[in-house]
Amino acid sequence: MMKQFMMIFIGADYADLGLSPEELQTRMGKWFAWNDKMQQAGFLVGGEALTPDIRRIVGKNRTVTDLTSAEVKEIVGGYYTVKAKDFDAVQEIAQDFPDYDLGATVEIREIMVFDK
Amino acid sequence: MENQLIDHLFRYHSGKMVSVLTRIFGLSNLEIVEDAVQDTFIKASMSWRKQVPENPEAWLTQAAKNRILDIFRKLKTEKNYLPNFYQGANTIAINELFLESEIEDAQLRMIFTACHPKLNAKDRIAFALKTVSGFSSKEIASALLTKEETVKKRLVRARKVIQKENLTFQIPQGKALKKRLESVLEVLYLIFNEGFHSNKKEQLIQEELCGEAMRLCKMLLKNIHTRTSESYALFALMCFHAARLESKTNAQNQILDLEHQDRSLWHYPLIELGNSMMYKAVENNEFSCYHYEAAIASEHLKAKTFNATNWDKILYWYKCLNSLQPMANHLLTMAVICIQKNDLQKADTYLSKLNANDFEQRKYLFYGTKSDFYAAKKNLKKAITHINLAIESVNNQLEKEHLIKKKIKLHQN
């Protein structure tokens, strides 16, 4: 039975790390490779990158704050949805996530299925 | 998409975009421009995670254009910039500035700016590598064997001079062009040499430097005003050297001198290209240092084996070179050639004109040659004294090992 999972990428925004064109390109190459691998194995369902602008609404007063990634160290930069047998299988795919060396994190969550 | 296809795309594109945007915004907004280009790349590296566009270069250009419009809006100074493009006889629309020929023109302007006489000679290379070629400070530092801090200081200093002196973003004309072109060629020559002669482990950056110098030189050859016999000669020289790049190190990344290189690894298409560039370079009779250096390099390439090298001819070219540009290094090389030819009397004449202090950090070259000279004269004692002096004064570990091997050989005789 295949289940669906979400891999959430958390870490600093590329813009705040001051990466050179060359470094960005190397990193991009790694993303391509990872993406290809998942696609070929039939894991990949979808995914998006998120822009670094944040609007946050908090508390019973509905306080609204506009933030940019520079103000928040840990920002969700994007996600993939994948289908896999279990957590272990996703953890295995997540080995190839390219940004660990930048201190980034992958969070894996299973997508809940409700009975009809 | 194949990784190789997008290899260096960002770097090359960064230089192009910085140049084009600088043409629109002016040199005084260089920092805004660099930030804008950086933004474009970040956007690309995020959005291409899912799908690489079919034509990444066009995507980047479009994104950079959009970014300009963004900045225009943000700065609310459209009126200050746009009239330059929409009025007058030389009306040129922003879209047209992104045509291939205009991009090259903008890059040429950037190189000529980087080589402006008001900029400190050392700052020129760093500034050119940054703005024209898209190298990061870290990469420049590693390529030029300096600290990243030093590179950053040089870049800041260059930008300040540009602001203070109000430099224009133009290719000079008339007499000024000739003078400035000399400086441009010199910078390209130095960039290439950094790549070719450095013994660094990070091979990749070194090759990139050579490739970049060649790309820029090729650009000079495309423009009617900068297509001079001197530029042709420099390009020929680069081709000849680059043809040997592969064979310069062995599998263990040790340096191999000409004598020990595998000549079958030489890249013949580049040698041929160099030859045809050389024909163009000698169409008139104005010979530059690059002409002679290219002639020397080509003479080495002509020899099927090291022993077949035509040392007489090489010596002749060195004499020409030295009379045009007298340098201790040339004289030393001439001495080395005479030792090769076993013409020890001539070698002695050259060596007696030199002393160790002429060579600063590279004293070991002088001592090493002296040692070879005495070894050839069978004066073993003096040969060993000099090889010891050479070993004492060398910094580079690889060179040191090379000298120590030589010393052991001397002791075995």
Side-chain angles (χ1 to χ4, degrees), chain B residues 329-378:
Chain B
N329 260 333
H330 299 332
L331 283 175
L332 188 68
T333 310
M334 284 149 78
V336 172
I337 296 168
C338 292
I339 297 170
Q340 277 299 337
K341 301 196 314 155
N342 215 14
D343 183 351
L344 297 181
Q345 209 177 345
K346 207 56 182 287
D348 197 24
T349 344
Y350 291 130
L351 283 173
S352 62
K353 288 180 188 162
L354 298 166
N355 69 68
N357 290 330
D358 295 332
F359 297 91
E360 295 178 24
Q361 301 102 319
R362 309 182 82 192
K363 278 186 185 138
Y364 67 94
L365 290 178
F366 174 73
Y367 292 129
T369 309
K370 281 271 233 190
S371 169
D372 285 348
F373 172 73
Y374 286 118
K377 285 191 91 166
K378 311 266 182 268

Side-chain angles (χ1 to χ4, degrees), chain A residues 19-20 22 25 32 47-48, chain B residues 6 8 10 38 48 50 139:
Chain A
L19 301 180
S20 74
E22 189 75 356
Q25 184 158 321
F32 291 167
E48 295 294 346
Chain B
I6 55 151
H8 320 306
F10 272 24
Q38 176 77 355
W48 296 2
K50 226 178 81 186
E139 289 162 339

